[in-house]
Amino acid sequence: MRSFSSSAVNVALLAANVAAFPHLAMDGLTAPLAADVAYKQLLQRQSTTNPQGGAPLPLTPPPFDAASQLINVAGAHAFTAPGSGDARGECPGLNALANHNYLPHNGIATIDQFVSATTEVFGMGADLALFLATYGAVVDGSGTSWSISGGPHVGIGGSHGNYETDSSPLKGDLYQYGSNSKLILEQFHELYDMQPDAATANYNLDVLRTFRNQRFQESIDKNPLFVYGPFAGMLVSQAAFTFIYRFMANHSAEYPEGVLNKDVLKSFMSISGPETNLVWTPGHEQIPNNWYRRNTADAYTIPYFNTDLLYFTASNPQLALVGCNEGKVDTYQHIDAATLSNGAYTAAQAAANPICFATEFALAELPGLTGLSLLSGLLGSLTSALGSVTKNLGCKAIGSVNTTALALCPGFTLYGGPTAAVAPGVIQS
Ligand code: HEM
Ligand SMILES: *[C@@H]1O[C@H](CO)[C@@H](O)[C@H](O)[C@H]1NC(C)=O
Ligand SMILES: *[C@@H]1O[C@H](CO)[C@@H](O)[C@H](O)[C@H]1NC(C)=O
């Protein structure tokens, strides 16, 4: 309690955290979050009602403004299927933006274009958009632009293990299916069938948390080369789940916090056909007609994502620990955060603030990962984007990383293409 005692905001944060994550109440590492202005604004809107099941935010309904939240899908922004020369990859949000010409239709865009499109069409916080887009450009692209498909150093499709990762919601694990961008219909059904009644279906954070935990265990049980790394696993992998509800839900005066029903989920995931015969069409992700994004006053920022991430890890501490299978299914081992960070973080500290650990780890690992000097212009833009994240969250720095322990994980490679050999011993189902 000691580190939270001063202001009303801190008391509110403590109350919210104690309710959602009792085990975190005593952990000083969560205290710096209270310093973040955006987080304070979120906390000020909290009350005791909770329209989204157990999900932590928003506890009071955000504003709804039909005119600014309705997304134009006509004229220049009408759905246009990708042609043979257009890049489409594993991210349904970016594919949909390109299909509606909110990103260049060929799927290759600059950092600025990614930031404008994701903030304007989906209500992503500018902090999160800049962080994700800059990381993509520097680690997987040319430094200033990148492809939403692509190979190593071209786009996210070629970034297995450093951005694209195992245990995704709907896309298969690379070494399990030989592709990191193939949608596995069994995985879609797993999620889809969790809400049997179409009239009331809502794929909210409660549902996605359950699905996330199932998918995690499935990778352990079926993918001998499963790797859950510090950045791509602890951070990106959770985003792939929270983004489904936080960005795809339809907003309305009645449900300003958003409802994600079956039809809207299918449209954004490029799934069509009747329930008994669902079909996936690669790259045809579509923004539905009459779809309303989240309000800009309720933008999905990094602190907001952090609360969702802790909501996930509260249900399964494994999600906040690095680990991998050792070449056979069900050989999952944890890798100590203290070893990886040369003692900068204990495992408990990393688990209490996974965004800090993941981002600081990425920052320290970047020169090795990219082959660029920290002082180079390209890496400079990324380190400043990541640095502003860790500064706002009050993160403890990691001076240097020790990735030797990751040798335990045969699936750990810094770069991999969008296709690969299926590993011996996998289970495909
Ligand atoms: C600049 C912004 C963005 C970047 C850089 C980005 C990048 C990525 C990457 C690297 C992955 C692969 C993760 C994995 O392997 O599990 C991914 C997956 C995903 N992204 Fe995005 N994304 C962005 C915006 C969005 C938005 C706005 C949405 C929602 C509308 C979204 C929804 C998803 C979902 C649902 C997945 C998981 C796909 C699946 O396996 O089912 N992303 N994204
Ligand atoms: C979004 O919600 C509004 C209000 O309920 C509704 O009119 C509209 O059809 C919904 N959009 C979609 C795509 O379901
Ligand atoms: C790096 O980690 C390994 C264990 O994975 C350990 O044996 C080694 O001593 C560490 N290196 C340094 C420089 O601490």
Side-chain angles (χ1 to χ4, degrees), residues 64 249-255 259 261 263-264 287-292:
F64 179 74
N250 181 38
H251 300 77
S252 60
E254 196 184 354
Y255 300 108
V259 169
N261 69 19
D263 286 341
V264 174
I287 303 173
N289 290 329
N290 289 314
W291 180 81
Y292 297 82

Side-chain angles (χ1 to χ4, degrees), residues 90-94 96-97 114-115 118 122 124 128-136 140 146 156-157 159-160 163-172 180 182-183 187 211 232 236-237 239-241 243-244 246-248 268-269 291:
E90 44 274 90
C91 176
L94 299 177
L97 289 171
F114 282 115
V115 171
T118 52
F122 286 113
M124 190 182 279
L128 183 56
L130 187 66
F131 170 73
L132 296 178
T134 312
Y135 186 88
D140 303 320
W146 49 286
I156 52 178
S159 64
H160 185 68
Y163 214 168
E164 182 282 316
T165 186
D166 291 331
S167 197
S168 308
L170 308 179
K171 305 296 159 64
N180 62 20
K182 183 178 176 200
L183 185 143
Q187 290 173 205
F211 181 50
V236 178
S237 188
F241 288 82
F243 282 16
I244 294 174
R246 294 303 191 189
F247 289 132
M248 296 179 180
F268 274 118
M269 297 302 191
W291 180 81

Side-chain angles (χ1 to χ4, degrees), residues 66 75 101 103-104 116 165 182 193 197-199 201 215 246 272 299 311 313 318 323 327 329 349 368 385 410 425:
N101 294 300
L103 284 173
S116 324
T165 186
K182 183 178 176 200
D193 298 349
D197 182 356
R215 288 287 306 127
R246 294 303 191 189
S272 56
Y311 174 70
T313 58
Q318 277 193 305
V329 298
Q349 287 170 333

